[in-house]
Amino acid sequence: MSPAITFATAGRILAQLRHDRRTLALLVGVPSLLMILLRYVIDDPASFDRLGPTLLGIFPFVVMFMVTSITTQRERATGTLERLMAGPLGKFDLLLGYALGFGAVAAAQVAVVLAISLTWLGLNVAGSVGTLVLVAVLDSLLGMALGLFFSAFARTEFQAVQFMPAVVLPQSLLCGLIVPRDAMASWLERLSDVMPLSYAVEAMGEAARTADLTGVLVRDILIVAGCVVLSLVLGAATLRRRTG
Amino acid sequence: MMNLSGPAVAVRDLRVSRGGAEVLRGLTFEVPRGQVTGLLGPSGCGKTTLIRSIVGVQIVGSGEVTVLGAPAGSPALRRKIGYSTQSAAIYRDLTVLENLRYFAKVLGAGKGDAERVLEEVGLAGAGDRLGSALSGGQLGRASLAVALLGSPELLLLDEPTVGLDPVLRQDLWRLFQSLAERGVTLVVSSHVMDEAARCHRLIMLREGEILADGAPGELRERAGTVDLEEAFLRLVEERAESVR
Protein backbone atom coordinates (compact mmCIF):
# COMPACT_ATOMS: atom_id res chain seq x y z
CA MET A 1 0.00 0.00 0.00
CA SER A 2 1.32 3.43 -0.91
CA PRO A 3 -0.50 6.62 0.16
CA ALA A 4 1.59 8.61 -2.35
CA ILE A 5 0.20 6.55 -5.26
CA THR A 6 -3.34 6.71 -3.83
CA PHE A 7 -3.26 10.52 -3.60
CA ALA A 8 -1.60 10.83 -7.01
CA THR A 9 -4.41 8.72 -8.49
CA ALA A 10 -7.14 10.76 -6.79
CA GLY A 11 -5.47 13.94 -8.08
CA ARG A 12 -5.27 12.45 -11.55
CA ILE A 13 -9.02 11.64 -11.55
CA LEU A 14 -9.82 15.21 -10.50
CA ALA A 15 -7.44 16.64 -13.13
CA GLN A 16 -9.18 14.56 -15.82
CA LEU A 17 -12.54 15.99 -14.74
CA ARG A 18 -11.12 19.51 -14.61
CA HIS A 19 -10.28 19.24 -18.32
CA ASP A 20 -13.77 17.95 -19.02
CA ARG A 21 -15.91 20.85 -17.81
CA ARG A 22 -19.05 19.60 -19.51
CA THR A 23 -18.96 16.30 -17.62
CA LEU A 24 -18.34 18.18 -14.40
CA ALA A 25 -21.32 20.47 -15.10
CA LEU A 26 -23.52 17.45 -15.88
CA LEU A 27 -22.38 15.63 -12.74
CA VAL A 28 -23.52 18.47 -10.51
CA GLY A 29 -26.25 20.00 -12.65
CA VAL A 30 -28.33 16.97 -13.63
CA PRO A 31 -29.19 15.77 -10.10
CA SER A 32 -30.05 19.36 -9.12
CA LEU A 33 -32.33 19.73 -12.13
CA LEU A 34 -34.04 16.39 -11.40
CA MET A 35 -34.62 17.42 -7.80
CA ILE A 36 -36.20 20.70 -8.92
CA LEU A 37 -38.42 18.80 -11.38
CA LEU A 38 -39.44 16.33 -8.68
CA ARG A 39 -40.38 19.13 -6.28
CA TYR A 40 -42.79 20.70 -8.77
CA VAL A 41 -44.11 17.44 -10.22
CA ILE A 42 -45.12 16.26 -6.74
CA ASP A 43 -46.15 19.77 -5.69
CA ASP A 44 -46.94 18.56 -2.18
CA PRO A 45 -44.43 19.58 0.54
CA ALA A 46 -45.20 16.56 2.78
CA SER A 47 -44.61 13.99 0.00
CA PHE A 48 -41.51 15.87 -1.17
CA ASP A 49 -40.10 15.73 2.38
CA ARG A 50 -40.51 11.94 2.26
CA LEU A 51 -39.24 11.31 -1.30
CA GLY A 52 -36.58 14.03 -1.60
CA PRO A 53 -33.95 12.55 0.75
CA THR A 54 -34.40 9.11 -0.84
CA LEU A 55 -33.55 10.49 -4.26
CA LEU A 56 -30.64 12.34 -2.75
CA GLY A 57 -29.23 8.88 -2.03
CA ILE A 58 -30.02 7.43 -5.47
CA PHE A 59 -28.59 10.20 -7.70
CA PRO A 60 -24.96 9.96 -6.61
CA PHE A 61 -25.25 6.15 -6.67
CA VAL A 62 -26.38 6.15 -10.30
CA VAL A 63 -23.99 8.85 -11.50
CA MET A 64 -20.95 7.33 -9.82
CA PHE A 65 -21.78 3.86 -11.13
CA MET A 66 -21.82 5.19 -14.67
CA VAL A 67 -18.79 7.47 -14.43
CA THR A 68 -16.63 4.82 -12.77
CA SER A 69 -17.59 1.95 -15.05
CA ILE A 70 -16.82 4.02 -18.15
CA THR A 71 -13.59 5.48 -16.73
CA THR A 72 -12.35 2.00 -15.84
CA GLN A 73 -13.42 0.50 -19.15
CA ARG A 74 -11.56 3.32 -20.95
CA GLU A 75 -8.53 2.69 -18.78
CA ARG A 76 -8.53 -0.94 -19.94
CA ALA A 77 -9.10 -0.07 -23.60
CA THR A 78 -6.35 2.57 -23.92
CA GLY A 79 -3.78 0.39 -22.18
CA THR A 80 -3.15 2.75 -19.26
CA LEU A 81 -4.40 0.05 -16.87
CA GLU A 82 -1.93 -2.48 -18.31
CA ARG A 83 0.82 0.12 -17.99
CA LEU A 84 -0.08 0.71 -14.34
CA MET A 85 -0.35 -3.02 -13.63
CA ALA A 86 3.12 -3.57 -15.14
CA GLY A 87 4.47 -0.99 -12.68
CA PRO A 88 4.84 -0.97 -8.91
CA LEU A 89 1.26 0.18 -8.26
CA GLY A 90 -0.85 -1.99 -5.95
CA LYS A 91 -4.45 -2.74 -6.89
CA PHE A 92 -5.81 -1.12 -3.74
CA ASP A 93 -3.67 1.98 -4.31
CA LEU A 94 -5.58 2.43 -7.54
CA LEU A 95 -9.00 1.56 -6.09
CA LEU A 96 -8.59 3.82 -3.05
CA GLY A 97 -7.38 6.61 -5.34
CA TYR A 98 -10.57 6.17 -7.37
CA ALA A 99 -12.64 6.17 -4.17
CA LEU A 100 -11.00 9.37 -2.93
CA GLY A 101 -11.22 11.22 -6.25
CA PHE A 102 -14.77 10.24 -7.13
CA GLY A 103 -15.81 10.49 -3.47
CA ALA A 104 -14.75 14.17 -3.49
CA VAL A 105 -16.84 14.77 -6.62
CA ALA A 106 -19.78 12.95 -5.03
CA ALA A 107 -19.51 15.07 -1.89
CA ALA A 108 -19.61 18.26 -4.01
CA GLN A 109 -22.59 16.90 -5.95
CA VAL A 110 -24.51 16.01 -2.78
CA ALA A 111 -23.67 19.38 -1.19
CA VAL A 112 -25.06 21.34 -4.15
CA VAL A 113 -28.26 19.28 -4.47
CA LEU A 114 -28.83 19.40 -0.73
CA ALA A 115 -28.26 23.16 -0.57
CA ILE A 116 -30.79 23.75 -3.37
CA SER A 117 -33.27 21.35 -1.76
CA LEU A 118 -33.04 22.88 1.71
CA THR A 119 -33.32 26.51 0.58
CA TRP A 120 -35.15 27.03 -2.70
CA LEU A 121 -37.18 23.82 -2.72
CA GLY A 122 -38.10 24.09 0.99
CA LEU A 123 -37.20 20.52 1.91
CA ASN A 124 -37.85 19.87 5.60
CA VAL A 125 -35.39 17.52 7.22
CA ALA A 126 -35.95 16.54 10.84
CA GLY A 127 -32.64 14.71 11.04
CA SER A 128 -29.08 15.99 10.90
CA VAL A 129 -27.77 17.33 7.59
CA GLY A 130 -24.32 15.97 8.40
CA THR A 131 -25.65 12.39 8.64
CA LEU A 132 -27.53 12.87 5.34
CA VAL A 133 -24.35 13.96 3.56
CA LEU A 134 -22.42 11.08 5.09
CA VAL A 135 -24.97 8.48 3.96
CA ALA A 136 -25.27 10.06 0.50
CA VAL A 137 -21.49 9.97 0.01
CA LEU A 138 -21.49 6.35 1.17
CA ASP A 139 -24.19 5.63 -1.46
CA SER A 140 -22.02 7.24 -4.11
CA LEU A 141 -19.08 5.06 -3.06
CA LEU A 142 -21.36 2.03 -3.38
CA GLY A 143 -22.16 3.12 -6.95
CA MET A 144 -18.46 3.62 -7.65
CA ALA A 145 -17.46 0.21 -6.26
CA LEU A 146 -20.20 -1.61 -8.19
CA GLY A 147 -19.35 0.33 -11.36
CA LEU A 148 -15.74 -0.71 -11.03
CA PHE A 149 -16.70 -4.34 -10.61
CA PHE A 150 -19.17 -4.46 -13.50
CA SER A 151 -16.84 -2.62 -15.88
CA ALA A 152 -14.71 -5.78 -15.88
CA PHE A 153 -17.51 -7.49 -17.83
CA ALA A 154 -17.81 -4.75 -20.45
CA ARG A 155 -15.62 -5.14 -23.53
CA THR A 156 -16.59 -1.76 -24.96
CA GLU A 157 -17.76 1.59 -23.64
CA PHE A 158 -21.08 0.86 -25.30
CA GLN A 159 -21.54 -2.25 -23.15
CA ALA A 160 -20.40 -0.37 -20.05
CA VAL A 161 -23.23 2.13 -20.55
CA GLN A 162 -25.74 -0.72 -20.91
CA PHE A 163 -24.76 -2.09 -17.50
CA MET A 164 -26.12 1.05 -15.86
CA PRO A 165 -29.84 0.32 -16.42
CA ALA A 166 -29.22 -3.43 -15.97
CA VAL A 167 -27.73 -3.00 -12.51
CA VAL A 168 -29.33 0.23 -11.31
CA LEU A 169 -32.96 0.13 -12.49
CA PRO A 170 -34.02 -3.18 -10.87
CA GLN A 171 -32.56 -1.96 -7.59
CA SER A 172 -34.36 1.39 -7.94
CA LEU A 173 -37.68 -0.34 -8.63
CA LEU A 174 -37.36 -2.64 -5.62
CA CYS A 175 -35.71 -0.33 -3.10
CA GLY A 176 -38.99 0.94 -1.64
CA LEU A 177 -39.09 4.19 -3.54
CA ILE A 178 -42.19 3.34 -5.60
CA VAL A 179 -43.93 0.81 -3.36
CA PRO A 180 -42.86 0.22 0.28
CA ARG A 181 -40.80 -2.96 0.42
CA ASP A 182 -43.10 -4.73 2.93
CA ALA A 183 -46.08 -4.08 0.64
CA MET A 184 -44.51 -5.95 -2.30
CA ALA A 185 -45.05 -9.64 -3.13
CA SER A 186 -42.93 -11.71 -0.76
CA TRP A 187 -40.52 -12.96 -3.46
CA LEU A 188 -39.90 -9.37 -4.55
CA GLU A 189 -39.37 -8.32 -0.97
CA ARG A 190 -36.83 -11.11 -0.51
CA LEU A 191 -35.11 -9.98 -3.71
CA SER A 192 -34.96 -6.42 -2.40
CA ASP A 193 -33.48 -7.75 0.86
CA VAL A 194 -30.29 -8.74 -0.96
CA MET A 195 -29.97 -5.50 -2.97
CA PRO A 196 -27.63 -2.94 -1.41
CA LEU A 197 -29.60 0.05 -2.71
CA SER A 198 -32.57 -0.97 -0.49
CA TYR A 199 -30.45 -0.28 2.60
CA ALA A 200 -28.90 2.84 1.11
CA VAL A 201 -32.36 4.30 0.49
CA GLU A 202 -33.72 3.21 3.87
CA ALA A 203 -30.71 4.85 5.55
CA MET A 204 -31.39 8.13 3.73
CA GLY A 205 -35.04 8.06 4.84
CA GLU A 206 -34.06 7.29 8.41
CA ALA A 207 -31.37 9.99 8.49
CA ALA A 208 -33.93 12.54 7.26
CA ARG A 209 -36.71 11.42 9.64
CA THR A 210 -34.89 11.74 12.93
CA ALA A 211 -31.73 13.24 14.37
CA ASP A 212 -31.28 10.13 16.55
CA LEU A 213 -28.79 7.50 15.57
CA THR A 214 -31.39 4.71 15.43
CA GLY A 215 -30.61 1.01 15.35
CA VAL A 216 -32.00 0.77 11.80
CA LEU A 217 -29.76 3.62 10.62
CA VAL A 218 -26.63 2.11 12.14
CA ARG A 219 -27.45 -1.32 10.70
CA ASP A 220 -28.11 0.14 7.23
CA ILE A 221 -24.90 2.18 7.27
CA LEU A 222 -22.93 -0.92 8.24
CA ILE A 223 -24.58 -2.98 5.49
CA VAL A 224 -23.89 -0.34 2.82
CA ALA A 225 -20.29 0.10 4.02
CA GLY A 226 -19.89 -3.69 3.97
CA CYS A 227 -21.19 -3.81 0.38
CA VAL A 228 -18.72 -1.07 -0.62
CA VAL A 229 -15.81 -3.06 0.82
CA LEU A 230 -17.05 -6.30 -0.74
CA SER A 231 -17.46 -4.68 -4.18
CA LEU A 232 -13.99 -3.12 -3.94
CA VAL A 233 -12.48 -6.51 -3.12
CA LEU A 234 -14.38 -8.08 -6.04
CA GLY A 235 -13.29 -5.12 -8.21
CA ALA A 236 -9.66 -5.67 -7.19
CA ALA A 237 -9.99 -9.31 -8.22
CA THR A 238 -10.95 -8.17 -11.73
CA LEU A 239 -7.74 -6.11 -12.09
CA ARG A 240 -5.27 -8.60 -13.49
CA ARG A 241 -1.53 -8.22 -13.77
CA ARG A 242 -1.48 -10.82 -16.54
CA THR A 243 -4.04 -11.13 -19.33
CA GLY A 244 -4.45 -13.46 -22.29
CA MET B 1 19.88 -10.21 -5.20
CA MET B 2 19.84 -9.55 -8.93
CA ASN B 3 22.22 -11.33 -11.21
CA LEU B 4 24.19 -8.50 -12.83
CA SER B 5 26.43 -10.52 -15.12
CA GLY B 6 23.95 -12.70 -17.03
CA PRO B 7 21.89 -11.65 -20.05
CA ALA B 8 19.18 -8.97 -19.62
CA VAL B 9 16.54 -11.39 -20.89
CA ALA B 10 16.70 -15.18 -21.23
CA VAL B 11 13.80 -16.94 -22.93
CA ARG B 12 13.60 -20.73 -23.02
CA ASP B 13 11.09 -22.72 -25.05
CA LEU B 14 8.38 -20.05 -24.69
CA ARG B 15 4.95 -21.07 -25.93
CA VAL B 16 1.92 -18.77 -25.88
CA SER B 17 -1.56 -19.39 -27.23
CA ARG B 18 -4.14 -16.69 -27.83
CA GLY B 19 -7.71 -17.41 -28.84
CA GLY B 20 -6.95 -21.10 -29.51
CA ALA B 21 -4.04 -20.44 -31.88
CA GLU B 22 -0.39 -20.88 -30.90
CA VAL B 23 1.15 -17.43 -31.35
CA LEU B 24 4.65 -18.21 -30.03
CA ARG B 25 5.93 -21.70 -30.84
CA GLY B 26 8.79 -22.54 -28.54
CA LEU B 27 11.13 -19.53 -28.68
CA THR B 28 14.61 -19.71 -27.15
CA PHE B 29 17.01 -16.74 -27.18
CA GLU B 30 18.94 -14.32 -25.01
CA VAL B 31 19.14 -10.54 -25.04
CA PRO B 32 22.57 -9.17 -24.01
CA ARG B 33 22.81 -6.16 -21.72
CA GLY B 34 23.56 -2.64 -22.91
CA GLN B 35 22.54 -3.25 -26.51
CA VAL B 36 19.68 -2.42 -28.83
CA THR B 37 18.03 -5.67 -29.89
CA GLY B 38 15.59 -5.38 -32.76
CA LEU B 39 12.56 -7.61 -32.93
CA LEU B 40 11.63 -7.77 -36.57
CA GLY B 41 8.92 -9.42 -38.51
CA PRO B 42 5.64 -8.84 -40.31
CA SER B 43 2.46 -7.80 -38.53
CA GLY B 44 0.96 -10.78 -36.68
CA CYS B 45 4.25 -12.66 -36.26
CA GLY B 46 4.09 -12.52 -32.44
CA LYS B 47 6.27 -9.47 -31.66
CA THR B 48 3.73 -7.85 -29.33
CA THR B 49 2.97 -11.14 -27.53
CA LEU B 50 6.70 -11.72 -27.03
CA ILE B 51 7.22 -8.22 -25.60
CA ARG B 52 4.20 -8.66 -23.32
CA SER B 53 5.64 -11.99 -22.12
CA ILE B 54 8.95 -10.32 -21.22
CA VAL B 55 7.14 -7.49 -19.39
CA GLY B 56 5.17 -10.15 -17.51
CA VAL B 57 1.65 -9.06 -18.46
CA GLN B 58 1.00 -11.96 -20.85
CA ILE B 59 -0.41 -15.30 -19.67
CA VAL B 60 2.08 -17.82 -21.07
CA GLY B 61 1.45 -21.47 -21.87
CA SER B 62 4.86 -22.95 -21.05
CA GLY B 63 8.55 -22.12 -21.01
CA GLU B 64 10.69 -19.76 -18.97
CA VAL B 65 11.25 -16.03 -19.25
CA THR B 66 13.99 -14.64 -17.01
CA VAL B 67 14.41 -10.86 -16.87
CA LEU B 68 17.44 -9.25 -15.15
CA GLY B 69 17.92 -12.53 -13.26
CA ALA B 70 14.33 -12.84 -11.98
CA PRO B 71 11.22 -14.54 -13.43
CA ALA B 72 9.27 -12.15 -15.73
CA GLY B 73 6.55 -10.28 -13.87
CA SER B 74 8.30 -10.42 -10.47
CA PRO B 75 7.43 -7.47 -8.20
CA ALA B 76 11.16 -6.58 -7.97
CA LEU B 77 11.20 -5.94 -11.75
CA ARG B 78 8.32 -3.46 -11.83
CA ARG B 79 10.53 -0.39 -11.30
CA LYS B 80 13.35 -1.67 -13.51
CA ILE B 81 11.42 -2.11 -16.74
CA GLY B 82 10.09 0.61 -19.02
CA TYR B 83 7.31 -0.58 -21.32
CA SER B 84 5.65 1.19 -24.19
CA THR B 85 2.73 -0.44 -25.99
CA GLN B 86 2.01 -0.18 -29.68
CA SER B 87 -1.04 2.05 -29.15
CA ALA B 88 -0.29 5.06 -26.98
CA ALA B 89 -1.18 4.20 -23.38
CA ILE B 90 -1.68 7.72 -22.05
CA TYR B 91 -4.72 9.60 -20.76
CA ARG B 92 -6.27 11.60 -23.57
CA ASP B 93 -8.04 13.93 -21.12
CA LEU B 94 -4.83 15.02 -19.39
CA THR B 95 -2.02 17.19 -20.73
CA VAL B 96 1.25 15.49 -21.67
CA LEU B 97 2.98 16.85 -18.56
CA GLU B 98 0.09 15.81 -16.28
CA ASN B 99 0.38 12.30 -17.71
CA LEU B 100 4.12 12.21 -17.13
CA ARG B 101 3.88 13.64 -13.61
CA TYR B 102 1.22 11.08 -12.66
CA PHE B 103 3.21 8.10 -13.95
CA ALA B 104 6.38 9.57 -12.38
CA LYS B 105 4.66 9.58 -8.97
CA VAL B 106 3.41 6.01 -9.46
CA LEU B 107 6.96 4.88 -10.33
CA GLY B 108 8.50 6.91 -7.52
CA ALA B 109 10.66 8.82 -10.03
CA GLY B 110 12.26 12.04 -8.84
CA LYS B 111 10.96 15.56 -9.34
CA GLY B 112 11.94 16.96 -12.72
CA ASP B 113 11.95 13.50 -14.32
CA ALA B 114 8.78 14.37 -16.27
CA GLU B 115 10.48 17.40 -17.85
CA ARG B 116 13.61 15.38 -18.60
CA VAL B 117 11.81 12.65 -20.57
CA LEU B 118 9.65 15.24 -22.34
CA GLU B 119 12.86 16.82 -23.63
CA GLU B 120 14.33 13.43 -24.60
CA VAL B 121 11.45 12.53 -26.91
CA GLY B 122 11.36 16.03 -28.42
CA LEU B 123 8.00 17.07 -27.03
CA ALA B 124 9.24 19.96 -24.86
CA GLY B 125 6.94 22.42 -26.63
CA ALA B 126 3.82 20.24 -26.29
CA GLY B 127 3.82 19.62 -22.52
CA ASP B 128 0.67 21.64 -21.91
CA ARG B 129 -1.36 20.08 -24.71
CA LEU B 130 -4.10 17.57 -24.01
CA GLY B 131 -3.54 13.99 -25.17
CA SER B 132 -6.63 14.26 -27.36
CA ALA B 133 -5.11 17.25 -29.19
CA LEU B 134 -1.89 15.45 -30.20
CA SER B 135 -1.10 13.92 -33.58
CA GLY B 136 -0.55 10.16 -33.81
CA GLY B 137 3.22 10.58 -33.82
CA GLN B 138 3.16 12.92 -30.82
CA LEU B 139 0.92 10.51 -28.91
CA GLY B 140 3.40 7.71 -29.57
CA ARG B 141 6.29 9.83 -28.32
CA ALA B 142 4.36 10.86 -25.20
CA SER B 143 3.75 7.18 -24.50
CA LEU B 144 7.44 6.44 -25.10
CA ALA B 145 8.33 9.25 -22.65
CA VAL B 146 6.36 7.44 -19.91
CA ALA B 147 8.48 4.32 -20.50
CA LEU B 148 11.66 6.39 -19.98
CA LEU B 149 10.55 7.66 -16.55
CA GLY B 150 12.60 6.54 -13.58
CA SER B 151 15.59 5.52 -15.76
CA PRO B 152 14.75 1.80 -16.17
CA GLU B 153 17.48 -0.81 -16.81
CA LEU B 154 15.47 -2.53 -19.52
CA LEU B 155 13.27 -0.82 -22.10
CA LEU B 156 10.69 -2.78 -24.08
CA LEU B 157 9.33 -0.69 -26.92
CA ASP B 158 6.62 -2.00 -29.22
CA GLU B 159 6.81 -0.23 -32.59
CA PRO B 160 7.92 3.12 -31.11
CA THR B 161 8.63 4.80 -34.44
CA VAL B 162 5.40 4.05 -36.33
CA GLY B 163 4.01 7.08 -38.17
CA LEU B 164 7.00 9.34 -37.51
CA ASP B 165 8.73 11.42 -40.16
CA PRO B 166 12.31 10.35 -41.03
CA VAL B 167 13.92 13.18 -39.03
CA LEU B 168 12.06 12.26 -35.83
CA ARG B 169 12.77 8.59 -36.40
CA GLN B 170 16.47 9.32 -36.68
CA ASP B 171 16.32 11.39 -33.46
CA LEU B 172 14.65 8.53 -31.60
CA TRP B 173 17.16 5.96 -32.85
CA ARG B 174 19.97 8.27 -31.68
CA LEU B 175 18.24 8.40 -28.29
CA PHE B 176 18.02 4.58 -28.18
CA GLN B 177 21.73 4.28 -29.03
CA SER B 178 22.76 6.83 -26.39
CA LEU B 179 20.66 4.95 -23.81
CA ALA B 180 22.44 1.72 -24.76
CA GLU B 181 25.79 3.47 -24.36
CA ARG B 182 24.75 4.33 -20.81
CA GLY B 183 24.19 0.63 -20.17
CA VAL B 184 20.42 0.44 -20.74
CA THR B 185 19.18 -2.67 -22.55
CA LEU B 186 16.60 -2.00 -25.26
CA VAL B 187 14.30 -4.38 -27.10
CA VAL B 188 12.63 -2.53 -29.95
CA SER B 189 10.08 -4.11 -32.25
CA SER B 190 9.51 -2.94 -35.77
CA HIS B 191 8.11 -4.17 -39.04
CA VAL B 192 10.25 -1.72 -41.01
CA MET B 193 13.40 -3.45 -42.22
CA ASP B 194 15.43 -0.28 -42.74
CA GLU B 195 15.38 0.26 -38.98
CA ALA B 196 17.00 -3.14 -38.49
CA ALA B 197 20.42 -1.86 -39.55
CA ARG B 198 20.46 0.48 -36.55
CA CYS B 199 20.25 -2.40 -34.05
CA HIS B 200 23.23 -4.17 -32.51
CA ARG B 201 21.40 -7.42 -32.84
CA LEU B 202 18.33 -8.67 -34.67
CA ILE B 203 15.80 -11.34 -33.93
CA MET B 204 13.70 -12.04 -36.98
CA LEU B 205 10.31 -13.56 -36.24
CA ARG B 206 7.83 -15.19 -38.56
CA GLU B 207 4.63 -17.00 -37.61
CA GLY B 208 5.70 -17.33 -33.98
CA GLU B 209 9.11 -18.83 -34.71
CA ILE B 210 12.60 -17.38 -34.81
CA LEU B 211 13.79 -17.16 -38.38
CA ALA B 212 17.21 -15.69 -37.60
CA ASP B 213 19.09 -14.30 -34.64
CA GLY B 214 22.35 -12.35 -34.94
CA ALA B 215 24.07 -9.06 -35.75
CA PRO B 216 22.80 -7.32 -38.91
CA GLY B 217 26.16 -7.99 -40.60
CA GLU B 218 26.00 -11.71 -39.83
CA LEU B 219 22.49 -12.01 -41.19
CA ARG B 220 23.46 -10.19 -44.40
CA GLU B 221 26.41 -12.53 -44.80
CA ARG B 222 24.34 -15.64 -44.13
CA ALA B 223 21.75 -14.63 -46.71
CA GLY B 224 24.39 -13.35 -49.14
CA THR B 225 22.82 -9.90 -49.63
CA VAL B 226 23.38 -6.36 -48.29
CA ASP B 227 19.66 -5.59 -48.14
CA LEU B 228 18.02 -6.77 -44.90
CA GLU B 229 14.57 -6.99 -46.48
CA GLU B 230 16.05 -9.26 -49.12
CA ALA B 231 17.88 -11.21 -46.40
CA PHE B 232 14.56 -11.75 -44.60
CA LEU B 233 12.98 -13.15 -47.77
CA ARG B 234 15.93 -15.46 -48.48
CA LEU B 235 15.87 -16.76 -44.92
CA VAL B 236 12.15 -17.49 -45.28
CA GLU B 237 12.88 -19.49 -48.45
CA GLU B 238 15.80 -21.28 -46.82
CA ARG B 239 13.54 -22.30 -43.94
CA ALA B 240 10.83 -23.52 -46.32
CA GLU B 241 13.35 -25.65 -48.23
CA SER B 242 14.82 -27.18 -45.09
CA VAL B 243 11.31 -28.15 -43.96
CA ARG B 244 10.65 -29.78 -47.32
Side-chain angles (χ1 to χ4, degrees):
Chain A
M1 294 288 249
S2 155
I5 295 181
T6 300
F7 286 118
T9 303
R12 186 258 291 175
I13 296 277
L14 294 176
Q16 284 179 290
L17 285 173
R18 203 170 52 238
H19 287 297
D20 187 358
R21 299 255 165 87
R22 192 174 298 175
T23 294
L24 209 54
L26 287 168
L27 275 175
V28 176
V30 170
S32 306
L33 181 72
L34 289 174
M35 203 59 141
I36 295 164
L37 281 176
L38 181 80
R39 162 68 184 80
Y40 292 103
V41 167
I42 294 178
D43 212 17
D44 167 32
S47 304
F48 182 62
D49 287 348
R50 191 172 51 78
L51 274 175
T54 320
L55 282 170
L56 207 59
I58 294 182
F59 290 151
F61 172 81
V62 175
V63 171
M64 286 304 140
F65 180 92
M66 201 155 53
V67 171
T68 316
S69 57
I70 291 175
T71 305
T72 315
Q73 202 286 324
R74 201 179 279 174
E75 188 124 42
R76 282 177 207 276
T78 54
T80 48
L81 186 66
E82 179 169 294
R83 175 162 249 164
L84 290 171
M85 287 286 108
L89 167 139
K91 293 174 184 177
F92 282 100
D93 296 336
L94 185 69
L95 293 181
L96 290 178
Y98 268 40
L100 267 181
F102 285 126
V105 176
Q109 182 192 52
V110 168
V112 171
V113 183
L114 196 61
I116 292 175
S117 303
L118 291 174
T119 54
W120 174 16
L121 304 178
L123 181 73
N124 277 310
V125 173
S128 112
V129 172
T131 314
L132 269 182
V133 172
L134 177 83
V135 176
V137 170
L138 200 58
D139 290 353
S140 75
L141 290 180
L142 178 66
M144 185 213 79
L146 285 175
L148 201 88
F149 173 65
F150 280 99
S151 76
F153 305 101
R155 286 188 169 277
T156 61
E157 263 182 57
F158 195 42
Q159 288 179 2
V161 176
Q162 304 299 317
F163 270 114
M164 199 277 281
V167 173
V168 169
L169 286 185
Q171 296 202 60
S172 306
L173 283 175
L174 295 176
C175 72
L177 184 67
I178 297 170
V179 175
R181 285 168 58 214
D182 52 14
M184 292 187 293
S186 67
W187 66 277
L188 286 177
E189 193 185 344
R190 252 175 277 133
L191 210 54
S192 81
D193 283 346
V194 295
M195 293 183 161
L197 193 62
S198 305
Y199 302 95
V201 161
E202 190 178 59
M204 283 305 281
E206 198 73 1
R209 191 179 60 81
T210 166
D212 301 335
L213 208 59
T214 63
V216 174
L217 181 60
V218 172
R219 185 204 65 182
D220 288 349
I221 288 179
L222 288 177
I223 290 177
V224 174
C227 288
V228 172
V229 173
L230 183 68
S231 313
L232 279 179
V233 170
L234 289 175
T238 68
L239 300 176
R240 296 288 167 87
R241 296 257 183 216
R242 280 181 192 268
T243 52
Chain B
M1 204 33 215
M2 289 268 165
N3 179 2
L4 290 173
S5 55
V9 180
V11 175
R12 217 181 62 196
D13 199 27
L14 175 67
R15 290 178 185 276
V16 178
S17 294
R18 297 185 78 177
E22 194 163 51
V23 188
L24 298 181
R25 304 173 178 183
L27 302 189
T28 299
F29 64 90
E30 286 186 352
V31 174
R33 286 177 194 254
Q35 290 195 358
V36 183
T37 299
L39 216 51
L40 279 131
S43 180
C45 71
K47 298 186 297 280
T48 297
T49 307
L50 178 54
I51 287 186
R52 284 171 47 88
S53 304
I54 299 172
V55 176
V57 295
Q58 173 70 46
I59 297 172
V60 303
S62 66
E64 268 176 43
V65 183
T66 310
V67 180
L68 304 172
S74 303
L77 293 174
R78 289 188 192 135
R79 281 173 209 278
K80 300 189 171 183
I81 296 182
Y83 168 42
S84 181
T85 48
Q86 205 168 333
S87 57
I90 68 160
Y91 299 100
R92 306 295 196 269
D93 46 3
L94 288 181
T95 67
V96 177
L97 257 181
E98 283 171 339
N99 266 289
L100 292 173
R101 286 188 181 133
Y102 172 60
F103 284 111
K105 277 184 199 154
V106 169
L107 290 166
K111 267 197 162 62
D113 216 33
E115 286 78 2
R116 174 185 66 88
V117 295
L118 196 66
E119 189 83 39
E120 281 187 336
V121 299
L123 275 181
D128 293 327
R129 291 180 59 189
L130 282 178
S132 55
L134 299 179
S135 70
Q138 288 174 320
L139 266 177
R141 279 184 288 154
S143 189
L144 171 65
V146 177
L148 299 175
L149 285 167
S151 305
E153 286 175 41
L154 172 65
L155 272 172
L156 296 149
L157 311 175
D158 201 357
E159 307 251 4
T161 56
V162 164
L164 295 183
D165 75 56
V167 178
L168 280 170
R169 262 202 315 176
Q170 175 153 314
D171 288 348
L172 283 188
W173 276 98
R174 279 194 189 130
L175 171 66
F176 298 160
Q177 265 137 11
S178 76
L179 286 167
E181 277 160 26
R182 279 184 255 158
V184 177
T185 307
L186 293 97
V187 177
V188 181
S189 82
S190 176
H191 64 269
V192 191
M193 292 291 165
D194 68 354
E195 295 197 325
R198 302 170 185 268
C199 300
H200 296 107
R201 194 154 146 271
L202 293 176
I203 296 172
M204 288 187 172
L205 278 179
R206 188 164 184 268
E207 292 173 353
E209 290 176 2
I210 293 179
L211 193 63
D213 177 356
E218 283 168 34
L219 298 183
R220 286 196 193 98
E221 208 167 298
R222 233 182 85 188
T225 169
V226 286
D227 181 43
L228 281 164
E229 176 118 31
E230 183 65 29
F232 185 85
L233 290 171
R234 289 198 188 167
L235 290 165
V236 170
E237 278 168 28
E238 198 178 279
R239 168 70 61 101
E241 272 164 27
S242 74
V243 168
R244 215 178 290 147

